[in-house]
Amino acid sequence: LGQSSTWYVLTDILPPTLILTSPAGGSITGPSAILNATTNEFTTCRYGTSPSPTIQMSQTNGLNHSQLLTNLSNGPTTYYVNCTDVAGNTVEKNVSWFVDAIAPQYFNIATNPASPAYYGQTYQFNITWTDNTNISEEIFSIGNQKYMYPGAVNRVGNVFYITLTNLAVDIYNYTWSAY
């Protein structure tokens, strides 16, 4: 008789650790992005465009959480993520980035000289791009060759150009692409 027992109760009072892995803060995305988060313990995460979000992420209930965001509006955007562990402890963070949902626009496509074409002559190809953010990559393709900015394609303001020499006499199709 005289037996005794000792019981210890562990109480989880610490909120989980939350890291928002994408999109990166300050980055630029198109009209769709994947919101990714990781936690250090099993949690359920919610997301939204205001604090204390209520929409459960499509992939959650573990350590890795994700949600595809679509039809994002052009301009700056902020999303909040709120994760709760099984003990009810909550952590919330937000990430802000810029949505570039408008494609770059071009004008003033030109070649110099325009014609006639002679082998060995120097040719310059020009295009002017405008974009609501900034063009980070530009590709000039002619035949099977691709030239990129930054690199072989040069830039002055919004005008991109490349100078080529020793093109064989032929009819060439060329394209410009900007991102």
Side-chain angles (χ1 to χ4, degrees):
L1 312 150
Q3 294 180 338
S4 66
S5 299
T6 303
W7 293 81
Y8 294 96
V9 177
L10 297 176
T11 305
D12 180 0
I13 58 170
L14 298 176
T17 300
L18 171 61
I19 299 171
L20 300 180
T21 57
S22 72
S27 65
I28 298 174
T29 68
S32 298
I34 298 176
L35 184 61
N36 283 311
T38 60
T39 54
N40 65 332
E41 60 181 299
F42 286 91
T43 61
T44 299
C45 296
R46 292 174 168 68
Y47 74 101
T49 56
S50 59
S52 303
T54 59
I55 305 167
Q56 186 168 308
M57 296 178 83
S58 63
Q59 301 294 317
T60 192
N61 294 320
L63 302 176
N64 298 304
H65 317 274
S66 66
Q67 177 65 47
L68 174 63
L69 306 172
T70 59
N71 300 316
L72 296 171
S73 297
N74 197 65
T77 190
T78 299
Y79 269 79
Y80 294 81
V81 176
N82 178 308
C83 298
T84 304
D85 66 15
V86 293
N89 301 307
T90 299
V91 61
E92 182 169 302
K93 291 192 176 180
N94 66 66
V95 61
S96 297
W97 71 97
F98 192 88
V99 176
D100 184 4
I102 300 172
Q105 302 297 307
Y106 66 89
F107 56 97
N108 292 341
I109 298 175
T111 58
N112 185 20
S115 69
Y118 301 102
Y119 175 75
Q121 191 169 358
T122 300
Y123 295 91
Q124 188 176 70
F125 301 85
N126 299 288
I127 191 167
T128 302
W129 289 103
T130 59
D131 193 37
N132 65 328
T133 57
N134 190 19
I135 293 172
S136 59
E137 181 179 56
E138 201 288 330
I139 301 171
F140 174 79
S141 301
I142 186 167
N144 293 326
Q145 296 292 317
K146 289 188 178 186
Y147 303 93
M148 299 184 69
Y149 170 83
V153 175
N154 299 294
R155 178 180 189 175
V156 175
N158 287 335
V159 178
F160 292 79
Y161 66 94
I162 186 167
T163 303
L164 301 176
T165 58
N166 299 326
L167 290 175
V169 175
D170 201 348
I171 296 173
Y172 290 97
N173 291 315
Y174 65 92
T175 59
W176 293 95
S177 303
Y179 306 95

